[in-house]
Amino acid sequence: MVQSAILGFPRIGPNRELKKITESYWKGKASVDELLKVGKDIRAANWKLQKEAGVDIIPSNDFSYYDQVLDLSLLFNVVPERYTKYDLSQLDTLFAMGRGLQRKATETEKAVDVTALEMVKWFDSNYHYVRPTFSHSTQFKLNGQKPVDEFLEAKELGVQTRPVLLGPVSFLYLGKADKDSLDLEPLSLLDKLLPLYKEILNKLHAAGATEVQLDEPVLVLDLEKSAQDAIRKAYEYLGKQSNVPKITLATYFGTVVPNLDALKGLPVAGLHFDFVRAPCQFEKVLSVVDKNQTLSVGIVDGRNIWKNNYAKSSELVNKAIEKLGADRVIVATSSSLLHTPVDLENETKLDPEIKDWFSFATQKVKEVVVIAKNVSGADVKAELEANAKSVAARAASKRTNDEAVQKRVSSINEKMATRAAPFPQRLAEQKKVFNLPLFPTTTIGSFPQTKDIRINRNKFVKGTISAEEYEKFINSEIEAVIRFQEEVGLDVLVHGEPERNDMVQYFGEKIQGYTFTVNGWVQSYGSRYVRPPIIVGDLSRPEAMSVKESVYAQSITTKPVKGMLTGPVTCLRWSFPRDDVDQKTQALQLALALRDEVDDLEAAGIKVIQVDEPAIREGLPLRAGEERSAYLKWAAEAFRVATSGVQNKTQIHSHFCYSDLDPSHIKALDADVVSIEFSKKDDPNYIAEFKDYPNHIGLGLFDIHSPRVPSKEEFISKIRNILKTYPADKFWVNPDCGLKTRDWEETKASLTNMVAAAKYFREQY
Ligand code: GLN
Ligand code: ZN
């Protein structure tokens, strides 16, 4: 009988239970026991669900209160000293590392003031992990035994699980050196780290774990020889230990073929590959599966919501069975299901025709089981027939095709994707319009999304307040944000985005070809979840989407207000895309919709328009080569199609965050001003990379994921540091990203200090 396996299950709970309790805990409204109880219940429910569905290999340690990579940093005591001096509990240390902590002294507790560790995108997904941060003084040791505890917890519930841990090479490779140890190469720490992996594997074994899943997703990157050698070394070491569970080495999100040599002949029990993202690696990877190893066939998509095609999947699995035999093949999800919403059954408002095309984590669990049964010869005829029917219905549906859109995309030409004049000339014309001071200050767009805003939005959605009442409310919010920015002394204002639930969903709801869920939440980072809209058909914009709010904001101030849009690539990346049309086509369809919006904003008198592309970096194919160059070309083209219809004097801004950006990638967008996340990039080499960026740039000066308020002096020293390498006349002053997740109090204090620092430098220059 072919076995079925799940690589990881969402941990947020079917109704975002984890978010709710975590945030209450942070606010001091829930106790630690209440928080732990919710965590425990979620884990129990997840295990039960998988067991009842008939899954053979069920994961544990896929749960986390913040981030699974951060858990590992804590487990191995990779905790920078700055977090250890406050006597925080383990859990509070975890949260302090994840999101920073600033708190006044009380009778019982010391004052705390510590920034968060850097957070970056998990490969090409919209999940963010907290970067392991190493220094020369890191003292590797086991700090607790979370994987063992959770394994035992499942065992007590009668569920034998396969614990999952990020493997040692990925853990180091995805980390970085702390600012006091910049010469440290994380991979050089492998020898110190491996004994800890051994120790935790021994403990798991002693607790009764027979198998463990070690994830090495870095194997889908272009690895240097040193990293490939590290893989060999790590698994030769771990695989040869006695008293450890059998190891399955898992890779996902791409092909491992260029790193295949590193996998040959490793003493591990099984290998897992992602055949959804990289079906082409099938023959090659099969050739490295040793005669005593199992092959885990990742065939149910962990990154998208489309129903699996049973016939197609079974065919591939059967090919593997032919070569290896049924007892050496496992049917699995392509990656953890962390990236998919929890349960389609919770969707009460989806059109039944469309709903039938989808499959969320809970459904995917069943899909893995059905495929495994099917290739084992069990009777799943009814399931197969129903599946074939919905796959065919989707392919034939009228909802997917719009000829007018397809025609317009094919008419895109170079002129449409090029501004009328080059940047220097545009800048000269823009200077006449805006007359901005040196170190112009601005924000990225959103202001605190208060409870009041959410309540009113809900009332409007439910129909308990009218459209007019809601508009009045939104306008009053916009006015407050405008007055606030005037008072603080910002130069280029924003309307604050109070009308937007989410930067992609808001536009998606106004674009034809999209559909939405009511409960399709996916963890983005920590307690922040997103509800990606789903692209089901060709995309177009029936009417203006953002003009009303921008025009209102501009009408009540003499300072320039930025029109604020989400760029085509970000709309695409932060949605679940179609899998029947290529991404470029979907991006260009979105670009045309946005181009109409940009033109409408300009015609309505908006002089600065920001088109955010925070997801542009995450879309970058993970390996260098043809696919990556093609992506860079079409992603930039989509942005330029959206923004090049305007006059020279209209200033186009863009914004990027959460990633190591290569300045050469953003150059091709030809935006007049870009703002990027920067507050945690202390490395002077990184600053230097931006020195030659030809247009203007705002290097983010404070972390908006953290409630911490930097002082004026801190801003001054940051700016001074950047000015050592970066020219003053191109320098905008702004935060890392939008302020929607912050409170007003922190926002006011931070922006006041930021503007004061900009003014200080104006006097110096
Ligand atoms: N304009 C958006 C905001 O401020 C940008 C958000 C983002 O880059 N993630 O919220
Ligand atoms: Zn951002």
Side-chain angles (χ1 to χ4, degrees):
M1 182 81 180
V2 174
Q3 289 199 304
S4 54
I6 303 295
L7 263 59
F9 196 82
R11 55 212 175 203
I12 61 179
N15 289 300
R16 291 184 294 160
E17 288 80 356
L18 190 60
K19 174 193 181 73
K20 290 169 194 162
I21 191 72
T22 310
E23 291 181 352
S24 318
Y25 173 70
W26 290 339
K27 288 193 189 117
K29 288 185 189 151
S31 69
V32 68
D33 290 340
E34 287 169 303
L35 172 60
L36 297 179
K37 165 97 176 35
V38 172
K40 195 170 176 186
D41 290 347
I42 291 174
R43 293 192 292 272
N46 286 352
W47 289 322
K48 183 162 173 257
L49 177 159
Q50 295 174 75
K51 189 168 180 190
E52 282 173 1
V55 175
D56 300 302
I57 302 172
I58 298 172
S60 60
N61 198 43
D62 52 343
F63 179 85
S64 175
Y65 285 100
Y66 203 88
D67 162 44
Q68 73 276 10
V69 183
L70 182 58
D71 286 344
L72 219 51
S73 291
L74 201 66
L75 179 70
F76 296 138
N77 201 39
V78 181
V79 180
E81 233 172 286
R82 53 188 178 279
Y83 300 99
T84 59
K85 34 181 207 211
Y86 303 108
D87 312 320
L88 297 174
S89 70
Q90 279 242 10
L91 191 61
D92 288 341
T93 306
L94 184 90
F95 291 143
M97 289 163 78
R99 60 193 296 267
L101 183 62
Q102 193 173 40
R103 111 183 146 201
K104 297 206 176 82
T106 64
E107 268 170 36
T108 50
E109 292 171 330
K110 288 189 207 170
V112 181
D113 186 4
V114 66
T115 56
L117 289 177
E118 188 187 358
M119 188 168 72
V120 273
K121 297 252 175 197
W122 180 242
F123 295 82
D124 58 356
S125 79
N126 188 22
Y127 179 76
H128 306 69
Y129 72 96
V130 179
R131 240 176 165 176
T133 305
F134 305 99
S135 81
H136 291 299
S137 57
T138 302
Q139 295 282 330
F140 286 99
K141 64 167 189 199
L142 278 194
N143 227 340
Q145 51 164 17
K146 175 179 180 288
V148 181
D149 295 341
E150 288 179 17
F151 172 79
L152 289 172
E153 194 179 299
K155 199 172 158 194
E156 247 164 62
L157 295 169
V159 185
Q160 174 76 16
T161 57
R162 178 173 75 179
V164 36
L165 281 96
L166 184 64
V169 179
S170 294
F171 178 68
L172 294 172
Y173 196 90
L174 297 174
K176 69 166 188 180
D178 211 349
K179 46 188 168 218
D180 62 2
S181 306
L182 286 177
D183 60 326
L184 181 68
E185 171 51 57
L187 264 188
S188 71
L189 299 166
L190 187 64
D191 287 341
K192 288 190 181 162
L193 181 61
L194 285 178
L196 296 192
Y197 269 89
K198 170 184 175 285
E199 209 181 321
I200 197 77
L201 292 187
N202 286 151
K203 287 188 179 202
L204 282 168
H205 184 261
T210 51
E211 294 190 71
V212 65
Q213 170 192 331
L214 295 181
D215 287 356
E216 291 288 5
V218 297
L219 278 162
V220 308
L221 304 176
D222 290 316
L223 290 184
E224 307 78 356
K225 173 100 182 15
S226 58
Q228 295 189 359
D229 291 346
I231 289 277
R232 289 210 73 83
K233 183 173 185 181
Y235 290 89
E236 268 160 14
Y237 172 87
L238 293 174
K240 285 185 182 147
Q241 300 297 330
S242 46
N243 301 327
V244 297
K246 285 196 281 181
I247 297 172
T248 291
L249 199 169
T251 69
Y252 36 81
F253 302 158
T255 171
V256 301
V257 168
N259 298 318
L260 214 50
D261 278 349
L263 290 177
K264 266 185 203 152
L266 288 182
V268 295
L271 297 167
H272 169 90
F273 302 100
D274 181 344
F275 296 118
V276 175
R277 286 291 291 278
C280 54
Q281 64 180 335
F282 186 78
E283 299 289 336
K284 290 225 167 90
V285 298
L286 232 69
S287 69
V288 301
V289 180
D290 263 1
K291 57 180 185 310
N292 41 20
Q293 284 178 328
T294 56
L295 171 72
S296 167
V297 180
I299 195 66
V300 170
D301 197 350
R303 292 281 298 273
N304 211 336
I305 46 68
W306 301 103
K307 201 172 248 187
N308 193 273
N309 181 331
Y310 287 160
K312 235 173 109 188
S313 299
S314 302
E315 202 180 303
L316 188 92
V317 179
N318 276 326
K319 270 211 283 187
I321 294 173
E322 260 166 47
K323 285 215 164 163
L324 306 175
D327 53 341
R328 285 173 56 208
V329 173
I330 295 165
V331 175
T333 53
S334 63
S335 65
S336 166
L337 296 172
L338 176 69
H339 313 283
T340 60
V342 179
D343 192 353
L344 187 61
E345 288 309 311
N346 290 340
E347 296 307 321
T348 46
K349 295 215 171 108
L350 275 178
D351 179 323
E353 182 194 356
I354 294 182
K355 188 171 174 180
D356 182 53
W357 303 343
F358 300 156
S359 173
F360 292 178
T362 305
Q363 287 66 43
K364 285 170 189 282
V365 164
K366 294 180 189 137
E367 290 184 341
V368 170
V369 175
V370 173
I371 298 168
K373 279 189 181 160
N374 185 35
V375 296
S376 305
D379 180 13
V380 283
K381 205 166 148 237
E383 284 91 339
L384 288 189
E385 273 171 14
N387 180 263
K389 229 170 109 186
S390 37
V391 169
R394 179 181 163 214
S397 171
K398 290 216 168 46
R399 308 182 79 127
T400 52
N401 294 302
D402 182 336
E403 263 177 48
V405 173
Q406 293 167 6
K407 230 169 126 187
R408 199 169 167 214
V409 168
S410 60
S411 74
I412 291 174
N413 55 34
E414 195 45 40
K415 187 158 174 268
M416 278 170 84
T418 317
R419 293 284 299 264
F423 176 68
Q425 190 180 328
R426 300 196 309 257
L427 181 67
E429 291 187 38
Q430 289 164 18
K431 274 192 170 152
K432 282 187 221 148
V433 181
F434 301 115
N435 193 23
L436 293 169
L438 260 187
F439 304 103
T441 53
T442 191
T443 61
I444 308 306
S446 56
F447 270 78
Q449 286 259 338
T450 57
K451 210 169 172 186
D452 202 25
I453 293 180
R454 279 196 296 272
I455 290 173
N456 274 282
R457 183 181 303 136
N458 280 340
K459 281 189 187 161
F460 174 56
V461 172
K462 288 202 182 107
T464 51
I465 59 171
S466 68
E468 292 76 48
E469 282 170 297
Y470 184 59
E471 185 176 333
K472 219 171 124 201
F473 168 76
I474 291 295
N475 282 352
S476 69
E477 288 292 319
I478 293 175
E479 183 169 3
V481 168
I482 295 284
R483 296 296 164 247
F484 165 73
Q485 296 172 92
E486 288 177 335
E487 262 159 49
V488 171
L490 285 150
D491 300 301
V492 175
L493 311 191
V494 295
H495 77 283
E497 307 178 22
E499 78 287 10
R500 300 185 189 176
N501 40 11
D502 169 86
M503 65 186 291
V504 174
Q505 190 186 344
Y506 182 76
F507 291 101
E509 280 170 3
K510 295 173 188 282
I511 291 176
Q512 210 165 325
Y514 263 110
T515 196
F516 305 89
T517 63
V518 284
N519 203 34
W521 298 98
V522 177
Q523 187 177 20
S524 174
Y525 65 87
S527 71
R528 191 87 197 150
Y529 309 161
V530 294
R531 203 166 30 152
I534 303 170
I535 304 180
V536 292
D538 289 330
L539 300 157
S540 61
R541 182 203 78 145
E543 57 187 20
M545 307 184 281
S546 69
V547 174
K548 195 171 70 184
E549 291 79 11
S550 289
V551 165
Y552 175 72
Q554 187 63 85
S555 75
I556 56 173
T557 180
T558 52
K559 295 209 170 173
V561 178
K562 293 193 266 193
M564 195 64 63
L565 302 173
T566 305
V569 179
T570 301
C571 282
L572 173 70
R573 298 290 317 178
W574 290 357
S575 305
F576 287 115
R578 288 166 76 171
D579 60 356
D580 56 340
V581 167
D582 65 35
Q583 302 227 347
K584 174 182 175 181
T585 306
Q586 296 175 71
L588 290 175
Q589 291 180 358
L590 286 160
L592 288 170
L594 287 161
R595 181 183 176 92
D596 296 343
E597 187 71 13
V598 168
D599 293 353
D600 281 357
L601 282 167
E602 183 187 58
I606 303 301
K607 298 185 168 67
V608 188
I609 299 166
Q610 178 171 313
V611 179
D612 292 325
E613 281 290 27
I616 205 157
R617 172 64 179 76
E618 92 185 27
L620 191 71
L622 296 168
R623 286 184 190 284
E626 241 171 77
E627 196 195 339
R628 183 183 284 183
S629 352
Y631 169 80
L632 286 168
K633 228 174 130 206
W634 67 250
E637 182 189 356
F639 182 89
R640 285 185 281 105
V641 165
T643 54
S644 295
V646 296
Q647 303 169 48
N648 292 333
K649 63 178 185 197
T650 296
Q651 191 167 68
I652 297 289
H653 286 223
S654 189
H655 162 72
F656 316 94
C657 51
Y658 312 123
S659 44
D660 287 331
L661 267 170
D662 183 334
S664 71
H665 298 164
I666 50 179
K667 228 182 196 160
L669 307 192
D670 197 27
D672 300 308
V673 182
V674 301
S675 53
I676 65 174
E677 173 183 330
F678 207 76
S679 72
K680 272 176 274 166
K681 309 282 184 191
D682 316 284
D683 183 351
N685 296 327
Y686 188 67
I687 302 178
E689 283 180 34
F690 284 89
K691 201 179 70 195
D692 302 321
Y693 182 71
N695 305 1
H696 287 189
I697 197 163
L699 301 173
L701 295 174
F702 71 94
D703 177 14
I704 54 82
H705 300 113
S706 167
R708 194 177 164 274
V709 175
S711 64
K712 175 181 164 189
E713 290 64 39
E714 198 175 321
F715 279 113
I716 289 179
S717 98
K718 278 219 157 122
I719 296 175
R720 183 171 290 133
N721 191 30
I722 297 173
L723 281 172
K724 282 186 207 150
T725 12
Y726 196 73
D729 62 346
K730 292 181 177 179
F731 195 142
W732 284 63
V733 168
N734 51 254
D736 267 353
C737 188
L739 298 157
K740 60 175 167 259
T741 57
R742 300 274 56 88
D743 284 342
W744 266 107
E745 203 187 325
E746 302 142 25
T747 300
K748 279 184 188 164
S750 300
L751 290 177
T752 305
N753 295 345
M754 185 189 85
V755 172
K759 288 190 172 151
Y760 168 86
F761 281 99
R762 271 174 215 160
E763 282 162 19
Q764 313 286 308
Y765 278 78

